Amino acid sequence: MLHLRLITPSDRTDEVVQLIEKTVGTTHLAVLAGAARNPQGDVVLCDVAREAGDELLGGLRELGIDECGSIAVENIDLSLSKRADQAEDAAPGEGSDAVLWEQLSEATHEESTLSVTYLAFITLATMIAACGVVLDNAILIVGAMAVGPEFGPLAGFCTALVQRAPRLAARSLIALLAGFAFAMVVTFGFSLFMGWVDLFSEASLQKDRPNTAFIYAPDWFSFIVAVLAGMAGTLSLTSAKSGALVGVAISVTTVPAAANAAVAFSFGLYRQAWGSTEQLLLNLLGIIVAGTLTLLAQKYFWSRHRTRTPIKDSAA
């Protein structure tokens, strides 16, 4: 269930209440007349089944409540209410399958911002991966994958393509490209320093590396894994199962490929560096294609759900 807290101008409250009452899956409606001070107006509270949330939010935006008032949405972790159970039963589909496009757009907008924290995480992840490829240590590679924040802008770019949001697409693409470029440049310098103190060497990169050789040898399996991970990551975002993102992060060779490319460049091993770059681009392409197609499929199926949603005859 979702909890909505709305601030509405007094002359719009009746329209908002009517919209809530006719939306299947809503309950616990309360109106506090004149309670809001900034902006002035009424406070309207209600709960709505997650699977009906996107429809209700869309209706509220059509009424302009986001411009003349306020719309706040919170997840309800526990609701002990027979009415809430009835509302969830009445709403079409399953809550875990529902897509809240407004929430997704807001989340990906935040995750795709080129911030100091984002640059720090992706740089540290790439440097950890650099140590992993030189030592041929799979544990360090997995750790670097888990630390890398690159799925945020990837998801933001997919969302922007589906929602036709050019500003979000540009923001996500800049964060993705600038983030990897910055991380690789810093890792290049880090590799030179580690070579100067005899911790990294060209021989370490040229020797057999059974645990990490896949990083600079792209093949169809790399693309297939990236596609599957892109689907899983997108589903984890839209279904609010963020814990699954950890599994996605450690299944795709993006950060390790960038790290291996930077280290290989620092030692003049251009063939290996190009192979790692191919691996990086292949995985990014696979995630974007899979994520976009997954969102398009979800949008199509939920639009069909909305057309089949009945109208309530009375208030919840």
Side-chain angles (χ1 to χ4, degrees):
M1 293 290 289
L2 303 172
H3 177 68
L4 270 64
R5 186 186 72 249
L6 313 173
I7 296 179
T8 66
S10 299
D11 59 346
R12 297 284 187 91
T13 301
D14 288 342
E15 292 180 275
V16 170
V17 170
Q18 289 175 11
L19 174 64
I20 294 173
E21 289 179 338
K22 74 177 184 180
T23 301
V24 172
T26 59
T27 188
H28 303 152
L29 174 61
V31 179
L32 306 177
R37 293 292 180 267
N38 184 21
Q40 288 189 345
D42 303 331
V43 175
V44 179
L45 308 173
C46 74
D47 295 340
V48 59
R50 181 180 173 84
E51 50 269 43
D54 188 60
E55 177 188 359
L56 180 56
L57 289 175
L60 291 170
R61 295 201 65 177
E62 288 179 4
L63 293 176
I65 303 303
D66 56 322
E67 297 178 358
C68 62
S70 170
I71 303 174
V73 183
E74 299 174 338
N75 286 308
I76 300 177
D77 295 326
L78 177 63
S79 179
L80 302 178
S81 167
K82 185 176 181 180
R83 285 183 175 271
D85 294 338
Q86 292 173 343
E88 288 188 315
D89 291 339
E94 294 293 333
S96 58
D97 296 334
V99 181
L100 294 177
W101 292 102
E102 297 295 338
Q103 186 182 57
L104 179 62
S105 297
E106 185 67 23
T108 52
H109 181 277
E110 181 179 348
E111 292 294 326
S112 60
T113 300
L114 185 62
S115 63
V116 174
T117 301
Y118 172 81
L119 288 175
F121 269 115
I122 195 169
T123 301
L124 290 171
T126 307
M127 293 169 69
I128 293 172
C131 296
V133 296
V134 171
L135 296 174
D136 193 34
N137 189 314
I139 295 177
L140 289 177
I141 296 297
V142 171
M145 289 175 170
V147 172
E150 72 279 6
F151 192 80
L154 284 168
F157 190 70
C158 295
T159 303
L161 292 178
V162 175
Q163 295 292 84
R164 299 179 182 178
R167 294 183 63 181
L168 177 58
R171 176 190 291 267
S172 302
L173 194 59
I174 290 172
L176 188 66
L177 298 180
F180 270 115
F182 181 83
M184 291 176 71
V185 169
V186 174
T187 303
F188 179 88
F190 174 70
S191 179
L192 291 177
F193 171 77
M194 294 294 280
W196 181 66
V197 297
D198 293 328
L199 292 177
F200 283 9
S201 67
E202 182 178 339
S204 298
L205 290 179
Q206 291 183 321
K207 70 179 182 180
D208 290 337
R209 289 185 284 158
N211 293 321
T212 57
F214 68 94
I215 292 173
Y216 56 88
D219 53 25
W220 279 107
F221 277 107
S222 301
F223 184 75
I224 291 172
V225 171
V227 168
L228 296 176
M231 292 180 179
T234 303
L235 289 173
S236 72
L237 286 178
T238 57
S239 63
K241 295 184 181 297
S242 58
L245 280 177
V246 176
V248 173
I250 63 176
S251 64
V252 186
T253 315
T254 50
V255 166
N260 197 84
V263 176
F265 270 122
S266 71
F267 287 104
L269 302 176
Y270 300 116
R271 184 175 180 179
Q272 189 175 135
W274 176 243
S276 299
T277 303
E278 283 185 314
Q279 179 78 274
L280 173 62
L281 295 176
L282 194 65
N283 281 298
L284 293 178
L285 176 62
I287 293 174
I288 290 173
V289 170
T292 303
L293 292 178
T294 301
L295 288 175
L296 286 172
Q298 289 181 294
K299 190 172 186 178
Y300 169 74
F301 286 118
W302 274 100
S303 65
R304 295 188 64 183
H305 268 304
R306 289 182 64 175
T307 57
R308 295 175 181 176
T309 301
I311 304 298
K312 290 201 297 188
D313 296 327
S314 59

